[in-house]
Amino acid sequence: MPYFDLNLDLTWEDKEIKASAHKFAKEVMRPIAREVDRMSAEDAVAGNSPLWEFLRQAYALGYHKALFPPELGGLGFTPLQGHILNEEIIWGSLGLSGVLLLASWPFFKVLQSGNKELIEEFVAPFCKTSEPNITACWAITEPDRGSDSINVNEPFFSTRGARGNVQARLDGNEWVINGQKSAWVSCGPIATHGMLNVQIDPSMGLAGGGVCILPLTLPGISRGKALEKVGQRDLPQGELFFHEVRIPRKYMFVGPGNYSTWTANNLAFGNAAMTLFAIGLARAAFDEAFAYSKERVQGGMVLIDHYFTKVRIARMFGKVEAIRATSRAVWNLAVKVYPPLPEYSYASKAICTEMAREVVDEAVQLHGANGLTREYPIEKFWRDSRALTIEDGENNTLCSMAGNFLKETYPRTAG
Ligand SMILES: Cc1cc2nc3c(=O)[nH]c(=O)nc-3n(C[C@H](O)[C@H](O)[C@H](O)COP(=O)(O)OP(=O)(O)OC[C@H]3O[C@@H](n4cnc5c(N)ncnc54)[C@H](O)[C@@H]3O)c2cc1C
């Protein structure tokens, strides 16, 4: 049965995008995600892992460059079309979609920087390729700086002498990078390129940072082992190590002058995207629970025929629709309005991911003990959902940052 959408203005093209993305999610992503989830973290990133088959097919469809402009070879999707595509593929697999989204994110940020030389060198080849021979990651967190690395509007962030784990110094026309990023860099084990946050000027504290784009094949770069973790096992993580790594000066496209603002803005974009993870996964869990409630017989009838099950299903349904409505609005704002309004992204990420976890948890509960077995997809969704409130900023940290923005600027109008 076609899915009813509260947005009554969807065009024929929007609906086509939804239908083809859903088919891809169901037929290609679900089986591959299940397989990768059951592999060791090291096998999951090996050259013969089915993860690459997913990427090959997604790149061939152009999904990696959906939001990039046609002039560069992108698909030129509207923000709404980008949302529709991502909701469907996240429904297919939160982890695999994460790999795809991260593959493009750093190149999107370089595009937004407007730096023509870097766009030519890094973004154009990414948009031209239809093979997963160019993929990226974003490395900001460090062994000693987790929430600290993003908490830009707290006084400690600008405290003179506060040191990060990755330092960059200028040597002639090159930056020289040393240090280590955390074990949590998504796609760290597989990415060909990285967007890297570094510290340049410790006299400004953590605020004295910079952001560069670089190939991860340069001499002096090494990687840790892929991390074994409880959920999102089809989104690999691992450390990045830098020893006297030299990059041209121009690769550092953000400097200490606007580092804090850039970081807050980048997080605003990332956390708008996190609301997409919330809707994709919540809807996947809702669909499983609803289907199960129509099959499982207890008390002489299928679960859905019991009054109390109807109440539970309707509550889950309401949460799914509320997450989508919020997510579409916040995503639209984040893609269209620059500089962004971070408080919307941060607070919405917290609320949407918490609601998504409630939906997934209730979906497990509706499965009874079956919800805990590998026979049913819901146990993977449950494991996948746990990180939602930690990744891209732990929710309390994000809310405290949103509170700071509200305190400073509210009420305000979009610029
Ligand atoms: C699945 C997943 C994917 C990820 N992907 C990436 C990635 O692609 N790139 C990357 O760089 N990182 C990535 N991360 C790391 C992620 O951004 C961090 O885990 C997150 O920012 C929290 O940092 P932390 O884990 O070090 O926790 P900590 O910062 O150590 O926080 C631990 C607890 O202390 C609390 N706390 C922290 N600071 C304060 C304070 N000042 N006052 C009061 N309480 C505080 C927090 O709220 C939290 O509850 C990923 C993490 C996960 C789980």
Side-chain angles (χ1 to χ4, degrees), residues 142 163-169 176-179 198-202:
E142 304 181 337
R163 282 187 78 83
N165 293 122
V166 176
Q167 301 288 322
R169 66 171 199 279
V176 185
I177 304 170
N178 281 287
V198 298
Q199 190 173 32
I200 291 174
D201 181 2

Side-chain angles (χ1 to χ4, degrees), residues 256-267:
N258 61 342
Y259 180 75
S260 296
T261 307
W262 184 92
T263 301
N265 290 347
N266 189 38
L267 269 179

Side-chain angles (χ1 to χ4, degrees), residues 19 95 103 117 169 187 234 312:
E117 255 186 292
R169 66 171 199 279
C187 299
D234 40 357
R312 294 165 77 182

Side-chain angles (χ1 to χ4, degrees), residues 2 32 42 45-46 65 132 137 156 165 172 222 231 250 297 304 320 326 333 340 348 350 356 360 366 382 390:
I32 290 180
E42 281 292 291
V45 298
K65 54 181 178 180
C137 65
F156 81 89
N165 293 122
S222 55
K250 64 181 180 186
V297 176
I304 191 66
V320 168
T326 306
L333 189 73
S348 302
V360 179
L366 249 170
W382 190 40
I390 300 172

Side-chain angles (χ1 to χ4, degrees), residues 3-5 10 14-27 29-30 54 63 80-94 97 100-101 276-277 279-281 283-284 287 324 328:
Y3 184 85
F4 181 77
D5 197 299
L10 294 190
D14 299 339
K15 290 178 189 164
E16 280 296 299
I17 289 169
K18 189 179 183 76
S20 49
H22 188 74
K23 187 168 154 47
F24 179 70
K26 188 172 175 184
E27 294 174 7
M29 295 180 73
R30 280 279 172 96
F54 155 69
Y63 284 172
L80 178 60
Q81 289 172 341
H83 194 281
I84 289 170
L85 167 69
N86 282 306
E87 178 181 332
E88 294 310 316
I89 64 169
I90 293 164
W91 179 94
S93 162
L94 192 156
S97 325
L100 193 62
L101 278 166
L276 273 154
F277 285 102
I279 179 56
L281 189 62
R283 204 185 102 214
D287 287 352
R324 182 184 300 104
R328 276 197 187 159

Side-chain angles (χ1 to χ4, degrees), residues 292 360-361 363-380 382-383:
Y292 188 79
V360 179
D361 202 60
V364 172
Q365 197 75 12
L366 249 170
H367 279 72
N370 280 341
L372 306 175
T373 74
R374 284 187 162 188
E375 295 302 308
Y376 293 83
I378 197 68
E379 67 85 29
K380 177 179 186 295
W382 190 40
R383 286 185 285 111

Side-chain angles (χ1 to χ4, degrees), residues 138-141 146-147 184-186 232 237 387 390-392 394 397:
W138 175 37
I140 175 168
T141 57
S147 304
W184 288 99
V185 176
S186 295
Q232 300 187 17
Q237 275 90 21
I390 300 172
E391 59 199 313
D392 235 334
E394 192 275 333
T397 303

